[in-house]
Structure formats: structure tokens, C-alpha cells
Amino acid sequence: MRVKKDTSISLFYDMVELMERLRGKDGCPWDKEQNHVTLKPYLVEETYEVIDAIDSGIPDKLKEELADLFLQIIFHCQIAREKKEFDINDVMKLCLDKMMRRHPHVFGDSTASTSEEVVQQWEAIKKQEKGYEERKSAVDGLPKHLPALQKAQKVQKKAAKVGFDWKDINDVIAKVEEEMEEVKEAIAKKETKDMEEEIGDLLFSVVNLSRFLQFDTENILHKTIYKFVDRFKKIEKELASCGKDIEQCSIEELDALWNKVKMNARKNI
């Protein structure tokens, strides 16, 4: 299905005019009060709702959440326009210029026949762009507010690109085991600061194991969380059917129920 260009342009500028009106003299009091800083939580929230919609596999849900995220972009551009900083046209032009510049194998004379070659070329082009000269280290340029798991994986990827990486999966596993032993030692010493530091090192090494195996650590942990929640709810349901209160059950009883739910889940796979 091809998008009609004239329709797209019309709808796009309808959105721009809508936001201009919402921020105008007779517009919405709430919208007029917002600025880049106050909108930050909504931008993050809408982004995660898009991710949830992708995971749901429901096209209509994804469409709705993308609309909400798109509104955030229009909102920020209108605020910048009012301050005479930039507008939506500047943002689109910047995006177009950047994408064409970073895809010379599509829009220029360069060649790249594999994804790996595309990534290498992309990184080389980025290093020549304005602003990149401020980066003094291979691990500079990490978004400050990126979730910790994603930030850990991103910094490890950056280090790996310049050759600072394990050669064999067994070395990565050995590092995880080494960090686990150091956690045990810190616990034995009852040193709070050391325990905190060693647990951090263990988490970082587990993220590295995930990255080495080409998994997205954030996604893996989300799946595990949802799996835990699902199994926990099944325990609560089973106890409720027996007229029992979960708070009155022993840990041994709960553990037995957990294993039962776990085995049933595996049988249904």
C-alpha cells in the first residue's frame, strides 16, 4: 500500500496547524503552559507505549501509539518555533540530509553489500560530522537518561568496535563466574560498599554475556519480568481457589506451587 503524497502533506500540515492553535491565544491552557522540560516525561512514556504496542503485535495499537509519539515531535517543534529557534521544516530537512549523507551506497557512489559494511560506513561518516569532534573517547556520546541496561550494552558495543572485546564465549562466561565469586566474598565480609560495587560488576558482566550472544538485554529482562508476573498471578489464583491467603503460606508451600506452575508452563510450550 503506497501512501498518497498529497494526502500525507495535507495531513502533516493539519497536524502542525492543530498544535499551533492549541498553543495559540485562544488555545488550550494546559498545552500553552508546556515547555521542552515539562514534556520530557510524556516523551519517554509515549516511546515505551510504542514499544509495548510493537510487542503486542496489534497493528491498530501500534498505529495509535505512533500517533501519540508523533504528536510529541510536533509539540516540541512548535515550542521551538515560538522561541524562533527552529521549526518542523528544519527538523525534517536535517533528517533528510543526514539519512542521504549516511547512505551513500543508496544515494551516492559508495557500495555496501552487507549490513556489517553499512554499519562500518555509517560510523565512519558520523566521525566526520559536526559535533563528533567533541568526543575524545570511543565510549563518549552515551545518552544520559538511557536506562542502565541499555546504557551498559551500548558502552560495551562502543568498546567492542575498537577491539576491546572477548574472543571466545567461554571467556565471557568465566568473567561472569569470577564476578559472582567476588559478590560472595563481599557478602562474606559484610562490606556494604563492596557488595554494591561487586553486584554492579556482576550485572555488567551478565549484560556483556547477552551482548556477546547478540541478545538485547533490556528485552530479555522484560520477558523474564512478564514471565514472573504471569506465574505469580497463577499462584495467587490457585491459592484463592483453595480459600488460602498468600501471606499466610510458608515459603516452602509457595516454592512448591511455583515449581508446579513452572512445570505446567513448560508442558504447554
Side-chain angles (χ1 to χ4, degrees):
M1 181 177 66
R2 184 164 183 160
V3 176
K4 292 183 179 179
K5 191 172 183 179
D6 291 344
T7 303
S8 298
I9 292 172
S10 176
L11 288 171
F12 176 80
Y13 283 104
D14 283 347
M15 280 292 302
V16 173
E17 289 175 7
L18 178 142
M19 182 51 65
E20 186 176 358
R21 183 174 177 182
L22 288 173
R23 296 271 300 176
K25 182 181 177 182
D26 298 319
C28 171
W30 185 89
D31 287 289
K32 291 193 288 185
E33 289 176 358
Q34 303 313 305
N35 57 52
H36 292 309
V37 175
T38 61
L39 287 175
K40 281 166 60 177
Y42 303 102
L43 181 60
V44 173
E45 180 182 335
E46 297 299 351
T47 301
Y48 279 115
E49 288 182 359
V50 168
I51 293 172
D52 284 346
I54 292 171
D55 290 343
S56 76
I58 303 172
D60 282 346
K61 188 172 182 180
L62 177 57
K63 178 176 65 176
E64 181 179 348
E65 298 305 339
L66 284 172
D68 291 343
L69 182 59
F70 182 63
L71 179 66
Q72 290 297 311
I73 296 171
I74 298 293
F75 210 147
H76 281 281
C77 287
Q78 177 60 29
I79 292 170
R81 180 187 176 196
E82 292 164 5
K83 297 167 71 176
K84 294 181 169 54
E85 296 172 340
F86 59 84
D87 61 21
I88 188 67
N89 291 315
D90 297 319
V91 171
M92 289 191 297
K93 186 178 184 305
L94 183 63
C95 184
L96 282 168
D97 290 345
K98 182 185 290 186
M99 290 301 100
M100 292 180 72
R101 185 173 64 253
R102 293 186 182 179
H103 290 83
H105 53 291
V106 177
F107 303 106
D109 299 327
S110 178
T111 58
S113 56
T114 66
S115 296
E116 290 76 16
E117 290 176 356
V118 171
V119 171
Q120 289 173 5
Q121 183 174 248
W122 179 285
E123 292 298 328
I125 293 170
K126 276 178 63 176
K127 290 179 181 179
Q128 300 169 13
E129 294 175 346
K130 182 181 177 182
Y132 202 93
E133 63 273 8
E134 298 174 2
R135 301 185 183 185
K136 306 301 181 184
S137 167
V139 291
D140 280 343
L142 292 170
K144 184 169 65 173
H145 296 291
L146 200 66
L149 284 177
Q150 290 183 357
K151 189 179 290 187
Q153 189 149 348
K154 192 172 183 67
V155 74
Q156 290 167 2
K157 284 183 178 179
K158 283 176 172 286
K161 283 178 183 176
V162 295
F164 192 77
D165 200 7
W166 300 103
K167 300 296 182 185
D168 187 89
I169 184 64
N170 292 316
D171 295 327
V172 187
I173 294 171
K175 186 62 179 175
V176 174
E177 292 172 343
E178 175 190 322
E179 297 297 350
M180 186 69 245
E181 289 304 315
E182 290 180 4
V183 168
K184 292 177 182 178
E185 290 173 10
I187 292 173
K189 293 177 183 177
K190 297 181 180 179
E191 291 288 343
T192 303
K193 186 178 178 181
D194 289 347
M195 283 189 281
E196 181 183 45
E197 182 177 344
E198 297 304 340
I199 290 172
D201 291 345
L202 175 61
L203 286 171
F204 193 80
S205 65
V206 170
V207 171
N208 204 28
L209 175 61
S210 174
R211 177 198 62 83
F212 198 89
L213 293 170
Q214 299 184 343
F215 292 124
D216 183 296
T217 316
E218 189 84 16
N219 189 42
I220 287 175
L221 187 55
H222 273 294
K223 287 181 178 178
T224 298
I225 292 168
Y226 293 140
K227 181 172 66 176
F228 175 87
V229 170
D230 179 65
R231 291 178 180 176
F232 194 86
K233 286 180 177 179
K234 286 176 179 175
I235 288 175
E236 290 177 316
K237 187 176 180 180
E238 183 153 343
L239 287 171
S241 67
C242 300
K244 294 183 179 179
D245 186 340
I246 191 170
E247 294 181 4
Q248 305 301 319
C249 296
S250 67
I251 188 61
E252 291 78 14
E253 189 175 1
L254 293 175
D255 190 48
L257 274 173
W258 177 269
N259 289 328
K260 178 183 176 182
V261 168
K262 187 176 177 180
M263 286 189 69
N264 288 338
R266 287 178 175 174
K267 288 177 182 177
N268 293 329
I269 293 176

